Amino acid sequence: MSKLRVAVLGAKGRIGSEAVRAVEAAEDLELVAALGRGDSLEALTGTGAQVVVELTTPDSVMDNLDFCLRHGIHAVVGTTGWTDQRLAQLTASLAAAPGTGVLIAPNFSIGAVLTMKFAEVAAPYFESVEVIELHHPKKVDAPSGTATRTAQLIAAARQKAGSAPQPDATATGPDGARGADIDGVPVHSVRLRGLLAHQEVLLGGEGETLTIRHDSLHHSSFMPGILLGVRRVVDTPGLTFGLEHFLDLK
Ligand SMILES: NC(=O)C1=CN([C@@H]2O[C@H](COP(=O)(O)OP(=O)(O)OC[C@H]3O[C@@H](n4cnc5c(N)ncnc54)[C@H](O)[C@@H]3O)[C@@H](O)[C@H]2O)C=CC1
Ligand SMILES: O=C(O)C1=N[C@H](C(=O)O)C[C@H](O)C1
């Protein structure tokens, strides 16, 4: 059986360099390009890449995906910065590229995907829900893509269940003291030397709390999810948002 031809964008970055090693080590995949900032995307067509793993920056991802879709190259995207407007733009580009698949995964680690799922299930059962994400200090975006997605899932689950607004008597204090408001869910971002990627979802009800915590201790935690995405995206045209769809968790 012929190997799937894979390219990595952001190949010199923290997660991109780990992805290069993971693709090289996979027997059913062939790494055909490992591109960094400034490298020409023409290498993708020149090498016949079938799938791109996009691990760059929010300011690069849209142009890179535009190139991929114009050339019928599938994409597995870990880069953050996904707004409704960007998703609408991508959906329009995908409509003009029938048969091409894009997976956007806010988080590729199984534990983080399960954290999001557990939080979504638990959220309607508690009065209060807040998210704390903790990352290394070189991260450029806040809140993290994972925390943003977690808060959106929590808010949607609470709205569906008819949950009341969260209790919060805060009337004074500096801006930001209560975190970012993502669909009514407070999200707090910590940037700390020594950390990699961590998240806690705190839920509170009458006389009890529940804490759901996940820790990515090494970039290797994201690799099985990336490889799963590469193998599945080629048979999944259109936009898939969230690795849970490839884990049969939805
Ligand atoms: N979904 C997930 O599970 C994960 C997502 N991420 C996300 O992946 C992205 C990258 O994270 P890190 O590796 O920590 O950042 P990083 O800054 O270490 O790496 C990004 C790399 O992309 C390169 N780059 C920028 N524009 C480029 C372009 N147009 N073409 C090719 N390369 C380009 C940069 O020069 C840099 O080497 C971030 O958005 C981060 O949040 C990170 C870890 C896990
Ligand atoms: O920048 C990171 O490191 C990470 N980014 C993703 C995010 O913003 O959620 C995934 C993970 O948290 C690591």
Side-chain angles (χ1 to χ4, degrees):
M1 211 175 73
S2 63
K3 295 186 180 189
L4 204 50
R5 293 187 299 280
V6 181
V8 176
L9 301 187
K12 292 185 180 151
R14 281 176 289 273
I15 184 170
S17 52
E18 188 78 22
V20 164
R21 285 190 287 276
V23 171
E24 282 178 324
E27 289 187 354
D28 58 331
L29 309 179
E30 180 186 358
L31 182 76
V32 296
L35 306 183
R37 192 186 277 277
D39 290 341
S40 169
L41 294 178
E42 298 300 332
L44 300 176
T45 44
T47 57
Q50 294 166 283
V51 183
V52 151
V53 180
E54 219 291 352
L55 300 165
T56 64
T57 56
D59 65 334
S60 295
V61 63
M62 294 306 283
D63 286 348
N64 287 341
L65 290 181
D66 184 59
F67 182 95
C68 290
L69 296 187
R70 280 190 287 108
H71 293 88
I73 302 170
H74 308 282
V76 170
V77 183
T79 306
T80 46
W82 290 100
T83 59
D84 288 346
Q85 188 192 358
R86 283 181 164 215
L87 287 171
Q89 189 181 330
L90 181 62
T91 302
S93 302
L94 272 163
T100 310
V102 173
L103 165 69
I104 298 174
N107 203 304
F108 288 111
S109 88
I110 180 69
V113 173
L114 288 170
T115 297
M116 288 186 258
K117 185 70 191 169
F118 296 157
E120 184 183 15
V121 170
Y125 295 96
F126 292 84
E127 277 183 70
S128 304
V129 191
E130 307 215 3
V131 178
I132 306 173
E133 56 96 338
L134 312 91
H135 280 82
H136 58 89
K138 290 195 171 169
K139 184 167 178 58
V140 296
D141 56 312
S144 71
T146 308
T148 301
R149 183 65 180 151
T150 306
Q152 290 167 342
L153 291 169
I154 288 169
R158 287 171 70 85
Q159 187 184 27
K160 190 174 170 196
S163 304
Q166 301 204 42
D168 182 359
T170 308
T172 63
D175 286 349
R178 294 287 292 115
D181 180 330
I182 305 288
D183 294 353
V185 179
V187 178
H188 311 270
S189 297
V190 176
R191 297 291 175 263
L192 202 71
R193 183 73 65 202
L195 295 182
L196 178 55
H198 318 258
Q199 178 164 290
E200 286 188 359
V201 181
L202 310 179
L203 302 113
E206 190 64 43
E208 63 175 332
T209 65
L210 170 66
T211 302
I212 305 168
R213 180 174 172 112
H214 174 256
D215 300 275
S216 267
L217 305 171
H218 190 270
H219 280 98
S220 55
S221 62
F222 305 114
M223 296 306 124
I226 289 179
L227 297 182
L228 174 67
V230 167
R231 291 171 181 133
R232 291 286 303 272
V233 76
V234 292
D235 296 322
T236 315
L239 177 63
T240 302
F241 196 90
L243 190 69
E244 60 273 24
H245 296 283
F246 288 174
L247 293 166
D248 299 325
L249 262 176
K250 274 286 168 185

